[in-house]
Amino acid sequence: MDPRREHVRRLLQVDAYITDPHGKTTTPTQIIDISRMGVAFVSDHAMPTDEQLLLNFCFPGSSIRNEITLTVVHSSTVGTHGRFRNGARFIAISEACADRIVDYVTTAPA
């Protein structure tokens, strides 16, 4: 089995932002899918790979902020409008946040 698909993914379209480790640069993004171990998101520029970044987002209908340390494993152009699809692996995640992700990916859409 391809290890990238080892965990169940679910579509998730929410606005989020990525911050560099020093908190100097914040990049708005849109999450497009999520799993227990990683996330895919779209950005206006290519994201650096193998660098720790901080993802911040809320699930639909929730005001709870989820903050996850991740590393981008790939970044490639998508479409013709200068957008990039990024895939990232989680490095550090709280147990409560991991539980919210598992609940989200294992619950059928309303």
Side-chain angles (χ1 to χ4, degrees):
M1 172 185 265
D2 184 346
R4 294 175 299 166
R5 301 294 177 246
E6 188 175 335
H7 297 275
V8 176
R9 289 186 172 278
R10 181 168 167 203
L11 295 177
L12 173 63
Q13 294 184 343
V14 295
D15 292 331
Y17 60 90
I18 299 281
T19 306
D20 72 278
H22 309 292
K24 295 180 181 177
T25 306
T26 298
T27 302
T29 66
Q30 183 179 42
I31 294 175
I32 53 178
D33 73 40
I34 195 164
S35 76
R36 167 63 183 87
M37 299 304 289
V39 65
F41 60 94
V42 178
S43 61
D44 289 335
H45 63 277
M47 300 298 293
T49 57
D50 299 325
E51 180 179 309
Q52 285 192 11
L53 301 168
L54 188 64
L55 172 69
N56 196 305
F57 73 99
C58 293
F59 282 103
S62 174
S63 61
I64 299 171
R65 277 258 168 247
N66 298 288
E67 206 172 83
I68 302 168
T69 302
L70 55 76
T71 185
V72 175
V73 293
H74 69 83
S75 184
S76 58
T77 58
V78 62
T80 59
H81 300 288
R83 306 273 289 164
F84 292 81
R85 186 183 202 292
N86 306 280
R89 181 180 333 111
F90 299 150
I91 296 173
I93 182 170
S94 71
E95 187 173 333
C97 183
D99 288 345
R100 286 189 290 274
I101 291 171
V102 169
D103 286 346
Y104 181 80
V105 299
T106 59
T107 303

